[in-house]
Amino acid sequence: EIQLQESGPGLVKPSQSLSLTCSVTGYTITSGYDWSWIRKFPGNKMEWMGYISYSGSTNYNPSLKSRISITRDTSKNQFFLQLNSVTTEDTATYYCARRDGYYVLDAWGQGASVTVSS
Amino acid sequence: DIQMTQSPASLSASLEEIVTITCQASQNIGNWLAWYQQKPGKSPQLLIYGTTSLADGVPSRFSGSRSGTQYSLKISRLQVEDIGIYYCQQASSTPLTFGSGTKLEIK
């Protein structure tokens, strides 16, 4: 059974970078599919941020394109989110998820709450 | 970006009642539509993909349908464990986009 788990700081200062790790067990991220980051803002709005594919290519939401980077460490079966120049508007719960062959998100992590505040 | 307009924003219904949530896509997405359920304190879980296909383990009281660019999620007999927030998501093109969510409560 595939499991994903997010980890990282829960508090980030404005103008700094937000960094999160998604650790995957039960499936090798180079075997197939895409590996996404999604966030849910206070008030329930959901935003897909981007993905890294099993081959290492990336696809980002244009709304974030200048600030986001998704990378991976295949030896640890992990992928990472970096979001630069954060503001209070980036306060959200961040989820990692697998995007399957139907291009839907069929497995999710438990979520990591991140607050941007000085 | 493809906009997904979801309604209603909140819904209170009685046990065993039929519940319907709808999403309107801003352009043709074919059958590239998914529904998720997020129970309180949990991460979202895939309910339906490809407009009508139930994900593994999803009870048969859930169903999905389409009429043109309007998509519907129906719960045929509402149960206590169905409370939560429901989201639609288009899978036709990136950026993937979600509806604004429907909060479902028991009356």
Side-chain angles (χ1 to χ4, degrees):
Chain A
E1 178 193 3
I2 182 174
Q3 293 189 355
L4 300 91
Q5 179 149 355
E6 305 87 351
S7 59
L11 180 64
V12 181
K13 290 183 174 5
S15 80
Q16 295 189 344
S17 293
L18 178 162
S19 296
L20 294 173
T21 298
C22 183
S23 300
V24 181
T25 57
Y27 193 88
T28 302
I29 62 174
T30 55
S31 293
Y33 304 131
D34 304 324
W35 304 89
S36 280
W37 287 97
I38 304 100
R39 59 184 179 177
K40 180 178 174 179
F41 298 99
N44 296 330
K45 178 185 172 184
M46 297 272 279
E47 180 182 58
W48 173 79
M49 302 179 72
Y51 69 68
I52 186 165
S53 74
Y54 69 96
S55 64
S57 62
T58 55
N59 187 331
Y60 301 134
N61 193 319
S63 68
L64 300 167
K65 198 159 190 176
S66 61
R67 298 197 292 137
I68 189 174
S69 176
I70 300 176
T71 57
R72 65 182 184 172
D73 183 335
T74 58
S75 68
K76 295 181 178 179
N77 214 38
Q78 295 175 327
F79 63 106
F80 311 102
L81 170 69
Q82 181 171 316
L83 187 65
N84 299 323
S85 305
V86 298
T87 72
T88 55
E89 301 296 304
D90 295 307
T91 292
T93 298
Y94 288 75
Y95 296 96
C96 58
R98 183 177 74 174
R99 190 177 82 142
D100 74 359
Y102 290 93
Y103 303 129
V104 297
L105 303 159
D106 71 333
W108 294 64
Q110 86 284 357
S113 179
V114 179
T115 300
V116 179
S117 175
S118 54
Chain B
D1 299 1
I2 297 173
Q3 306 303 315
M4 302 301 297
T5 303
Q6 186 172 344
S7 62
S10 62
L11 180 55
S12 181
S14 301
L15 292 176
E16 302 291 324
E17 189 174 333
I18 297 173
V19 169
T20 302
I21 299 167
T22 63
C23 268
Q24 179 74 46
S26 62
Q27 63 190 74
N28 179 30
I29 61 170
N31 285 321
W32 297 98
L33 191 282
W35 292 95
Y36 301 87
Q37 176 194 57
Q38 185 170 29
K39 295 184 178 182
K42 301 292 187 182
S43 57
Q45 298 293 310
L46 179 66
L47 275 180
I48 288 174
Y49 62 94
T51 297
T52 59
S53 299
L54 263 59
D56 290 345
V58 175
S60 59
R61 64 179 179 275
F62 290 91
S63 63
S65 63
R66 169 194 174 190
S67 175
T69 57
Q70 180 164 290
Y71 299 80
S72 297
L73 171 69
K74 186 171 93 170
I75 308 173
S76 61
R77 295 192 318 276
L78 186 65
Q79 303 296 304
V80 170
E81 58 266 31
D82 298 336
I83 63 167
I85 302 173
Y86 291 79
Y87 295 93
C88 62
Q89 174 240 315
Q90 65 81 15
S92 174
S93 63
T94 56
L96 306 181
T97 48
F98 293 84
S100 52
T102 295
K103 187 173 184 179
L104 177 59
E105 299 175 328
I106 302 295
K107 192 183 293 182

